[in-house]
Amino acid sequence: MGLLHRARAAVTGRLPVKTARSRLEAPLASVSFDDFPRSAWTTGGPLLAKHGARASYYASGRFCGAVEDGIEYFHRGELKEIEAASHEVGCHGFGHIRGPQAASDALDLDFERNALFLEQELGGFRASSYAYPYGDVSPRTKVLAARRYAVSRGIYAGVNAGNIDLAELRAVPIEARRWRPDRIDAAVQAAKARRGWVIFFTHDVSPAPTPFGCTPEMLDYVLQSLAGIEVLPIKHAMAKAVFGTA
Ligand SMILES: [Zn+2]
């Protein structure tokens, strides 16, 4: 992420587009996988099951069946398996484009293209939640996403508590390139102290992860640190935070 992107993300992260007052009476957590590399499901799935956690998988149609830069992405049919295991399938756009650099009609077309892809894979399916590719947002793209999705997740670090922005939920990375267990602990503590909703995001789950992914041990560490906290897919967690129900 370049300096301009960082500056823009830092500013727009403070400009809420769709604010809701959290009704949470206890901390809540979500775990999410972006793009997503196949190992997020084949290796991450069993770890989630071990901890009784349900996650959100943000799929970009462009990656289905693809191998890019040596990374194997999800296969056809795996979204069905993910849904059958009570995880959430969310939208990450079809082409994995940077929203702020795309015209509004091009971005809308990309949303639509991924909606068609997800519908073909899952049958009569409509994604409730979205994750911004690269976490890159502008006030304009936040409004566009908010029109289409009940909830959108960014990568602006922090815990969602008090007034939360449903157009850009904050999220904490689980990434090999900046693995900091103390920051995981601090985020979980903040969620407990503020009755907040802590969301984690990563990509692949592999013994030799990409810089943006994690090892099975890292994911296990996060899930272990969430012991005693309900871990729900983002759309279910959103319902609980906004309506007080899951
Ligand atoms: Zn992505």
Side-chain angles (χ1 to χ4, degrees), residues 34-35 92 96 133-134 203:
D34 289 2
D35 298 354
H92 197 40
H96 202 262
Y134 310 99
H203 293 82

Side-chain angles (χ1 to χ4, degrees), residues 24 26-32 53-56 159-160 187-188 191-192 195-200 222-223 225-238 240:
L24 292 181
L28 189 60
S30 298
V31 176
S32 53
R54 296 159 60 200
S56 296
V159 166
N160 304 283
V188 173
K192 285 179 177 166
R195 287 178 298 169
W197 174 16
V198 60
I199 301 174
F200 293 96
V222 171
L223 292 167
S225 74
L226 293 173
I229 298 180
E230 195 173 14
V231 184
L232 291 176
I234 285 177
K235 72 169 176 181
H236 299 90
M238 186 279 264
K240 189 155 190 164

Side-chain angles (χ1 to χ4, degrees), residues 105-127:
D105 53 353
L107 191 54
D108 245 341
L109 212 62
D110 191 66
F111 290 157
E112 192 55 42
R113 198 171 168 202
N114 212 45
L116 283 173
F117 162 75
L118 293 174
E119 206 175 298
Q120 277 165 7
E121 286 295 305
L122 295 169
F125 176 86
R126 197 157 182 87

Side-chain angles (χ1 to χ4, degrees), residues 33-37 58 60 63 73 92 96 131-135 153 202-203:
F33 303 91
D34 289 2
D35 298 354
F36 54 85
Y58 288 102
S60 285
F63 292 125
Y73 289 90
H92 197 40
H96 202 262
Y132 296 97
Y134 310 99
R153 198 219 73 217
T202 189
H203 293 82

Side-chain angles (χ1 to χ4, degrees), residues 3 51 63 75 80 84 101 108 173 190 195 207 237-238:
L3 190 60
H51 290 276
F63 292 125
H75 289 190
K80 265 210 167 95
Q101 294 177 10
D108 245 341
R195 287 178 298 169
M238 186 279 264

